[in-house]
Amino acid sequence: MVAGELLQEHVLHGSAPDPSSAASETPASDGKAEQYGDLTDGAVHLTVQDPNALEQQLFPSEGEAMLPGEQKPLETKLYRRRFAVLTIFSLYSLVNAFQWIQYSIITNIFKDYYNVSNVKINWLSVVYMVAYVPLIFPATWLLDKKGLRLTTLLGAGLNCIGAWVKCASIGSDLFWVTMVAQTICSVAQVFILGLPSRIASVWFGPREVSTACATAVLGNQLGVAVGFLLPPVLVPNTPEDKVLMGHNIGIMFYGTAAVSTLLFILTVIVIQDRPQLPPSQAQAVLLTGPAEDYSYSQSIVRLFKNKPFILLLLSYGIMTGSFYSVSTLLNQMIIAHNHSELNAGRIGLTLVVAGMVGSILCGLWLDHTKAYKMTTLVVYIISFIGMLVFTFTLDLGDLLVVFFTAGALGFFMTGYLPIGFEFGVEITYPESEGTSSGLLNAFAQVFGVIFTLIQGKLTSDYNPQAGNLFLCAWIFLGIILTAMIKSELKRHGVNMGNSMGQEVPTVCPVEKVVNGVTLTSSGLSRETSL
C-alpha cells in the first residue's frame, strides 16, 4: 500500500463513506472472493480469503508497488546519465572540501607565512561552518524552487571564484585576501553539502539510493583526505625561505583553481534538474502534484514538529561537529606530541580514507537491510569507543598505534555521515530531501563551530587529551539521543507499497490528486489493518 491508500478516505469534497455499504464483495481472479469490511472509526478492515492473493499483496517487489485504483505502477526509469551527474557533483564537492582543510593541516606553515596566530588560521576552517548556518535557508529554498541544476551551478561557480581569489593572496601581508577567498568557498559549500540525498533520490532507484548518497558524500570525504595529504607535500616547511614558501603555496592555489574551472564547465554540460521519468515510486508520487503549490515555510514548520527528526538533528550535529573539530585541530594535536606536519597529514588521510570505506559499506548495508535505526546506533556507539581509544593512545609515542586508532575512528565517525542523511530522508518523507539534509548540515556546522573553538582552547591551554575528552562526553550524549529516535521508514514504505506495514506519511507538502484520490495535508492519522 502507498501513501495515497492510507489517505483515500479523504476523497474529493471530503465526503464520508456510506455506512450502508457495510460489506461489499468483489470477485477475485481465481473465482475466490475478497471481503471488505465497513469504513468506521477511520480504520479499513480487510480480509483476503485466498492465501496466495494475500502473499502477493503483502510482498510485492519494489518495481511492482501499486497505487490504489491502478492496474500497474506509475512509470519509472533509470538513466545512465545518473552516474555522470553523481561523478561531477562528487568531484567538485571534493575540491570544495580540499579548500576547507588545506590551511588547517599545515597550520604552523600558514601561521609563519602570514605572521598570524593559530586562532586566525583556525578561522579559515571555522568560516565554512559559520557561513553555512544563516545561508542554509535561502539555499534550500532555492533548491526547492529553482531545482538542482541552478544550485549545482552556484556551488561549482562560487567554488571556482574562491579558488582564483586565493591565487591573489600569495604574499605574506595578504592574509585578508585569503580570508575573503575562503569565505567565498564557504558560501559555495552551502550549495553543496545538502545535495547528496537530493541527487540520490531524484536520479537513483530504491535499491541503490543509499549507496548513491554514500558515494556523493564520499566525494566530500575524499576532498578532506586529499586536503590532508597534498598540502604537506606541496608546501613543505621552509621557515628560512618565505619566498620559496610563497612559491609552493602558489602552486597549490593555481592547481586548485584550474581543476575548479574544469569542473564548473563539466557541471554546466552534465547536470540537469531531474531525469525525464522518475527513478522510483516514491519520486513518482511526489511528482503528481503541482510544484508551485509547495510551501517551503510550511515544510520547515513540519520538520521542526517532527520529534524523531529533531532528535536526529541533535545527534547528527554532535557526531559531525565532532568530526569537523577533530579534522580542524588534528595538526595541532599531532604537533603537540612531537610529530611532523607530514605525519599529521598522513594520519588525517588514514582517518578519512577509512571513513570513505565505512561510508560505502554502510550505504550498501542500508540498501540491503533498510535497518537505519540499528545501524545508526551501532555506528554511534563504536565511534564513541573509537574516540576514547584515540584519546588515550595519542600520547603513547607509538606512531603506528595512532595511525590504527585514527583509522578505526574515521571508519565509523565518517561512515556515519551518509547514514544520517538517508535516515533523515526516510523519517521526513515526503518533505524535500534538500531541506532535511540542509537542516542536518546546519546543526552540524553549529556544533562544529562550538566544538572547534572550545576544543581548540582546551588543547592550547591544557593538552589535546582534555579537548578530546570534551568531545567524548558529547558523543555519549548523542548515543542517548539516537536511542530515543522512533524509526518510521516512510519513503521505503511507499517504494514497497507499504507492504511491510511501516507507517507512511499522513502529512503531504501539497494537495495532490492521484488516480482520483486526493492526498491532502491533513494531520489526521488513519489506521489500516488487515
Side-chain angles (χ1 to χ4, degrees):
M1 296 182 186
V2 297
E5 197 163 352
L6 273 181
L7 301 176
Q8 62 183 332
E9 65 269 30
H10 298 302
V11 293
L12 295 173
H13 311 303
S15 57
D18 185 359
S20 64
S21 58
S24 61
E25 248 183 51
T26 59
S29 60
D30 59 357
K32 295 184 181 181
E34 295 179 350
Q35 299 291 335
Y36 291 86
D38 58 339
L39 301 171
T40 57
D41 298 326
V44 180
H45 301 281
L46 170 63
T47 303
V48 183
Q49 293 180 342
D50 184 3
N52 293 327
L54 175 62
E55 181 179 358
Q56 184 177 2
Q57 182 176 3
L58 282 178
F59 300 101
S61 68
E62 288 185 359
E64 298 172 346
M66 292 170 54
L67 292 171
E70 280 198 317
Q71 298 305 313
K72 62 180 180 179
L74 297 173
E75 187 177 2
T76 62
K77 182 179 179 180
L78 294 177
Y79 295 83
R80 282 180 291 183
R81 190 187 189 100
R82 70 191 188 277
F83 298 112
V85 171
L86 182 63
T87 300
I88 297 303
F89 169 79
S90 299
L91 287 175
Y92 81 72
S93 177
L94 180 157
V95 176
N96 183 261
F98 171 81
Q99 295 197 82
W100 166 56
I101 208 67
Q102 66 182 164
Y103 293 100
S104 60
I105 196 57
I106 49 175
T107 299
N108 56 317
I109 294 176
F110 276 107
K111 173 187 172 183
D112 291 340
Y113 182 71
Y114 286 117
N115 194 27
V116 295
S117 64
N118 279 342
V119 174
K120 287 189 175 181
I121 300 299
N122 288 345
W123 269 100
L124 290 170
S125 175
V126 172
V127 69
Y128 260 62
M129 309 173 205
V130 173
Y132 193 91
V133 178
L135 294 177
I136 184 56
F137 294 105
T140 52
W141 176 87
L142 187 71
L143 175 62
D144 289 340
K145 291 296 184 181
K146 301 300 181 181
L148 181 65
R149 178 173 169 80
L150 178 60
T151 306
T152 54
L153 288 176
L154 283 172
L158 289 171
N159 198 51
C160 178
I161 293 171
W164 281 108
V165 174
K166 286 184 181 182
C167 297
S169 70
I170 303 171
S172 57
D173 59 340
L174 295 176
F175 176 79
W176 68 273
V177 178
T178 211
M179 176 59 82
V180 170
Q182 190 74 336
T183 302
I184 295 172
C185 294
S186 69
V187 175
Q189 176 211 217
V190 181
F191 301 99
I192 296 174
L193 286 188
L195 296 187
S197 56
R198 168 62 70 93
I199 290 175
S201 294
V202 302
W203 281 95
F204 288 82
R207 295 184 181 274
E208 56 189 14
V209 62
S210 295
T211 305
C213 182
T215 304
V217 174
L218 184 72
N220 198 267
Q221 297 171 0
L222 183 59
V224 177
V226 175
F228 280 132
L229 177 65
L230 282 186
V233 175
L234 295 176
V235 189
N237 193 8
T238 56
E240 70 287 348
D241 191 348
K242 282 198 173 184
V243 174
L244 177 60
M245 187 182 292
H247 173 74
N248 293 332
I249 291 174
I251 292 175
M252 180 171 66
F253 284 169
Y254 276 104
T256 305
V259 174
S260 299
T261 303
L262 174 63
L263 290 173
F264 175 70
I265 295 172
L266 291 175
T267 300
V268 173
I269 297 172
V270 171
I271 295 187
Q272 297 177 347
D273 283 332
R274 59 177 66 249
Q276 185 176 0
L277 291 175
S280 66
Q281 290 295 312
Q283 284 297 308
V285 170
L286 290 178
L287 291 175
T288 56
E292 62 270 15
D293 288 345
Y294 175 75
S295 171
Y296 176 75
S297 59
Q298 287 300 312
S299 177
I300 295 291
V301 170
R302 284 192 295 269
L303 287 174
F304 277 106
K305 288 182 178 179
N306 187 326
K307 293 181 181 179
F309 184 63
I310 293 299
L311 291 172
L312 182 63
L313 281 178
L314 295 173
S315 59
Y316 184 89
I318 290 171
M319 176 66 81
T320 312
S322 298
F323 169 72
Y324 290 161
S325 184
V326 170
S327 299
T328 301
L329 301 171
L330 185 62
N331 172 271
Q332 297 171 49
M333 293 185 207
I334 302 303
I335 294 294
H337 290 92
N338 300 317
H339 299 299
S340 67
E341 61 274 354
L342 192 59
N343 281 328
R346 291 169 178 169
I347 292 169
L349 176 67
T350 302
L351 187 149
V352 178
V353 169
M356 290 159 52
V357 175
S359 293
I360 293 298
L361 292 180
C362 287
L364 292 170
W365 171 257
L366 289 180
D367 277 332
H368 179 69
T369 66
K370 302 300 180 183
Y372 290 88
K373 170 71 176 289
M374 181 195 72
T375 306
T376 302
L377 188 58
V378 169
V379 169
Y380 223 115
I381 292 172
I382 300 179
S383 296
F384 170 71
I385 297 172
M387 191 68 199
L388 280 175
V389 174
F390 177 75
T391 299
F392 289 106
T393 57
L394 192 58
D395 59 352
L396 292 181
D398 191 331
L399 196 59
L400 289 178
V401 172
V402 176
F403 271 98
F404 178 79
T405 55
L409 176 64
F411 182 89
F412 292 100
M413 182 176 278
T414 316
Y416 173 84
L417 303 182
I419 301 176
F421 274 157
E422 285 297 285
F423 197 15
V425 172
E426 288 288 346
I427 63 180
T428 61
Y429 178 87
E431 307 296 349
S432 167
E433 304 90 349
T435 305
S436 61
S437 298
L439 288 174
L440 286 171
N441 276 320
F443 272 67
Q445 309 299 337
V446 170
F447 279 101
V449 171
I450 295 172
F451 288 171
T452 300
L453 295 178
I454 296 178
Q455 186 185 10
K457 183 69 173 175
L458 291 172
T459 300
S460 60
D461 290 356
Y462 298 97
N463 52 58
Q465 189 177 88
N468 287 334
L469 287 175
F470 166 78
L471 292 184
C472 288
W474 278 95
I475 295 175
F476 182 76
L477 175 61
I479 294 174
I480 299 174
L481 294 174
T482 301
M484 296 168 61
I485 297 175
K486 181 181 179 181
S487 179
E488 298 177 23
L489 306 186
K490 300 177 181 180
R491 180 183 65 179
H492 179 59
V494 172
N495 282 328
M496 294 298 292
N498 200 33
S499 61
M500 303 308 291
Q502 282 115 341
E503 181 182 334
V504 298
T506 59
V507 179
C508 298
V510 294
E511 184 178 83
K512 304 174 183 175
V513 178
V514 182
N515 303 311
V517 178
T518 301
L519 306 184
T520 69
S521 58
S522 168
L524 297 176
S525 176
R526 292 292 184 266
E527 176 189 358
T528 301
S529 58
L530 293 177

